[in-house]
């Protein structure tokens, strides 16, 4: 069993890709819907929430945990590794940085300077984690970052097709659109659910997000056990009626949600 957690439904974008890459694997998911959003909270709070969730997931028998949240990967990745040394942790940032490194190495002979847009929660953007990691491999890349704090709530409220979504997305992405970036990093696992409206706003820019890259990373790492025969289980710390519809929209199938307060 692989444990996967996020502040809410965003981590399901990662679950979807893991299931595509490894259809037989079983997932125990925890969405902390009672305490989202995490993106505006400080490091200690995100560490505490993440630790509580990991204790729960480990009690369910998982040995591998995907931190399917950029904010938690930023603030709690190292913290969790130290707290739970026996667990294999996967974060959602490093596989994206590796993919960018690969893409840019193919561009090496080009003279022009590449510009990358990075969007994420306030915590992720203010930490400058993507900027530092991308620049470490590719110092000449220009990075234009933008925190988009309302995006997570739009997704959790299932408002990604609402006309208000376009207005909010346009507002947040002004600077990135003006910079004519070569690619855009969706640095929050909720954001792929806004991909359509983001595309409408900034046009046909290549977008890189965590879900596919993390799934590839899981496949690459051989130490994931293969005895996957159990059913997937989805725990949410708070449940309201609209989550049935929302989770079906994200995963393309109906799931049974179990309410579990920590
Ligand atoms: N999906 C989380 C992330 O990737 C969203 C954090 C939040 O709840 O604000 O950062």
């Amino acid at each position: 069993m692989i444990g996967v957690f996020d502040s809410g439904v965003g981590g399901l974008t990662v679950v979807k890709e893991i299931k595509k890459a490894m259809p037989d694997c079983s997932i125990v998911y925890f969405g902390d819907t009672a305490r989202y959003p995490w993106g505006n909270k400080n490091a200690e709070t995100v560490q505490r929430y993440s630790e509580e969730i990991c204790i729960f997931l480990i009690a369910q028998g998982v040995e591998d945990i995907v931190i399917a949240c950029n904010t938690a990967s930023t603030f709690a990745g190292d913290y969790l590794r130290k707290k739970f040394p026996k667990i294999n942790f996967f974060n959602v940032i490093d596989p994206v940085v590796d993919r960018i490194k690969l893409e840019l190495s193919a561009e090496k002979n080009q003279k022009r300077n590449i510009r990358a847009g990075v969007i994420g929660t306030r915590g992720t953007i203010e930490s400058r984690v993507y900027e530092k990691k991308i620049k470490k491999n590719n110092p000449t890349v220009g990075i234009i970052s933008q925190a988009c704090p309302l995006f997570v709530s739009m997704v959790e409220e299932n408002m990604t097709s609402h006309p208000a979504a376009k207005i909010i997305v346009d507002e947040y992405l002004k600077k990135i659109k003006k910079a004519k970036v070569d690619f855009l990093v969706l640095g929050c696992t909720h954001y792929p659910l806004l991909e359509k409206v983001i595309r409408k706003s900034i046009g046909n820019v290549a977008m890189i997000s965590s879900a596919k890259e993390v799934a590839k990373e899981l496949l690459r790492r051989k130490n994931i056990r293969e005895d996957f025969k159990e059913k997937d289980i989805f725990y949410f710390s708070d449940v309201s009626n609209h989550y049935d519809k929302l989770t079906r929209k994200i995963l393309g199938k109906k799931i049974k949600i179990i309410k579990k307060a920590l």
Side-chain angles (χ1 to χ4, degrees), residues 33-49:
T33 43
R35 302 189 288 197
Y36 98 91
W38 290 4
N40 303 334
K41 300 203 165 63
N42 67 29
E44 289 73 27
T45 305
V46 176
Q47 285 166 2
R48 177 161 54 85
Y49 292 172

Side-chain angles (χ1 to χ4, degrees), residues 20 104 122 202:
K20 261 194 219 161
L104 294 186
R122 209 171 257 148
I202 62 163

Side-chain angles (χ1 to χ4, degrees), residues 32-217:
D32 202 359
T33 43
R35 302 189 288 197
Y36 98 91
W38 290 4
N40 303 334
K41 300 203 165 63
N42 67 29
E44 289 73 27
T45 305
V46 176
Q47 285 166 2
R48 177 161 54 85
Y49 292 172
S50 302
E51 184 178 349
E52 286 169 6
I53 293 168
C54 287
I55 290 170
F56 173 74
L57 290 174
I58 293 164
Q60 309 312 303
V62 308
E63 288 168 4
D64 305 287
I65 296 183
V66 179
I67 310 168
C69 171
N70 285 261
T71 313
S73 296
T74 302
F75 286 147
D78 292 340
Y79 176 86
L80 294 173
R81 248 171 236 117
K82 274 190 204 127
K83 281 269 167 193
F84 306 103
K86 291 197 181 126
I87 301 296
N88 300 314
F89 282 101
F90 295 81
N91 73 62
V92 286
I93 296 174
D94 291 332
V96 169
V97 172
D98 289 347
R99 159 84 192 278
I100 293 169
K101 186 179 170 189
L102 202 74
E103 295 270 325
L104 294 186
S105 65
E107 295 248 5
K108 267 225 167 93
N109 294 331
Q110 296 194 7
K111 289 256 156 40
R112 71 194 182 91
N113 279 345
I114 302 284
R115 266 191 298 249
V118 179
I119 56 175
T121 65
R122 209 171 257 148
T124 301
I125 296 302
E126 285 178 3
S127 75
R128 298 177 55 223
V129 59
Y130 274 104
E131 202 171 328
K132 289 179 204 157
K133 287 188 182 224
I134 294 171
K135 276 190 174 280
K136 200 171 165 195
N137 301 324
N138 311 90
T140 58
V141 176
I143 310 271
I144 298 98
S145 305
Q146 179 66 53
C148 307
L150 286 178
F151 282 13
V152 168
S153 300
M154 291 192 316
V155 171
E156 293 285 332
E157 291 303 321
N158 202 5
M159 284 184 70
T160 52
S161 311
H162 193 280
K166 175 74 166 56
I167 297 169
I168 293 166
V169 170
D170 281 345
E171 180 60 31
Y172 279 131
L173 299 190
K174 257 186 205 156
K175 190 173 72 177
I176 293 205
K177 188 173 178 181
K178 200 165 160 214
K180 295 201 173 19
V181 295
D182 295 281
F183 61 90
L184 178 65
V185 176
L186 306 184
C188 171
T189 52
H190 282 73
Y191 294 2
L193 300 162
L194 285 160
E195 192 173 326
K196 262 194 200 151
V197 59
I198 291 173
R199 229 172 249 299
K200 264 192 208 152
S201 181
I202 62 163
N204 214 10
V205 171
M207 292 189 206
I208 304 180
S209 58
S210 317
K212 278 202 180 83
E213 304 312 316
V214 176
K216 277 189 232 159
E217 176 71 12

